[in-house]
Amino acid sequence: MSPRPMVRPGGRSARVQESVHAAVRELVEEVGRDALTVPMVATRAGVTPSTIYRRWGDLQELLSDVAVERLRPETDPADLGSLRADLDAWAEQFLDEMASPSGRAYIRDALLGDPDGTHAGQCSAYAAEQIDAVLARAVQRGEPVPETELLIDRVVAPIMYRILFRPVPLDAAYARELVTNALYAQQFEAGARPTRAAAPRRSNGKPEN
């Protein structure tokens, strides 16, 4: 069975999703992810196992659906008065949340139950929406802004790559460095002379002393 469409259902469908998602979160806390079964989730949620199988296909797709919902940002990006400050704050928060133990677990589940890439695309859309909000504020302030995709490529992608394939400790300085390099790339592409503060740096991904 293919994953459900990434839309928020209404009515009874919404209530079923809410109760099943809540059951998964509670049971993972109580018995652990590896001990989880569809009948356990169904009993806790007050639905039949066939309801879960019909809607989500299998346990892995259900876990993936729960993970994607948990990865949804709960607040708008902080407004600190400038593009650089806003991007730094957002990148630091994004790294902190994604690199946390729970963030890594949600990323793993989101991808494992995602045969056609729908969930991965939704997670990418979350990041793009947050970046768009930061850039829209900067435009209103009259600041030059980079393209959203440049920030996806220069900030989001390196963070996700390191989380997935090089799980070494990452810190806020690394997130800020990625923002610096992205804004340097923006200046370079625009033909502007980069300032000394905007010059890119190299990082080994280890926390700085």
Side-chain angles (χ1 to χ4, degrees):
M1 182 180 293
S2 61
R4 68 177 183 84
M6 293 304 302
V7 296
R8 287 188 170 184
R12 181 179 181 280
S13 184
R15 292 192 296 272
V16 169
Q17 175 176 307
E18 183 178 351
S19 63
V20 170
H21 278 213
V24 169
R25 295 193 298 270
E26 293 168 5
L27 288 168
V28 167
E29 290 291 327
E30 294 173 15
V31 305
R33 181 185 176 283
D34 292 340
L36 203 63
T37 66
V38 168
M40 289 171 60
V41 174
T43 298
R44 176 64 62 90
V47 301
T48 63
S50 61
T51 296
I52 294 177
Y53 288 122
R54 183 168 57 251
R55 179 161 180 171
W56 284 280
D58 58 26
L59 180 61
Q60 187 57 68
E61 289 192 21
L62 171 57
L63 289 171
S64 181
D65 192 44
V66 172
V68 171
E69 188 63 27
R70 297 297 285 175
L71 290 169
R72 183 191 300 272
E74 296 181 351
T75 60
D76 293 332
D79 185 352
L80 301 179
S82 72
L83 175 63
R84 179 57 195 259
D86 288 359
L87 285 176
D88 277 347
W90 180 82
E92 290 173 25
Q93 182 178 0
F94 180 79
L95 184 151
D96 184 61
E97 292 176 352
M98 296 298 106
S100 68
S102 60
R104 291 176 186 270
Y106 288 138
I107 292 168
R108 177 194 63 192
D109 281 340
L111 297 179
L112 285 176
D114 187 29
D116 67 355
T118 300
H119 289 177
Q122 184 61 46
C123 292
S124 177
Y126 291 157
E129 289 167 3
Q130 293 265 295
I131 291 170
D132 284 344
V134 170
L135 298 184
R137 287 199 302 249
V139 169
Q140 291 178 345
R141 291 191 293 259
E143 297 179 87
V145 300
E147 295 291 332
T148 298
E149 287 303 310
L150 184 147
L151 292 170
I152 292 289
D153 291 344
R154 299 282 183 140
V155 179
V156 176
I159 289 174
M160 296 304 295
Y161 180 88
R162 285 189 174 272
I163 288 173
L164 290 171
F165 301 114
R166 299 197 66 187
V168 297
L170 300 171
D171 64 359
Y174 177 67
R176 293 193 300 270
E177 177 183 329
L178 293 176
V179 172
T180 294
N181 293 347
L183 295 181
Y184 177 85
Q186 173 206 1
Q187 292 182 356
F188 182 81
E189 291 178 2
R193 181 183 296 275
T195 64
R196 185 165 184 161
R201 295 170 288 163
R202 300 175 68 88
S203 171
N204 57 11
K206 297 179 180 179
E208 296 180 357
N209 294 326

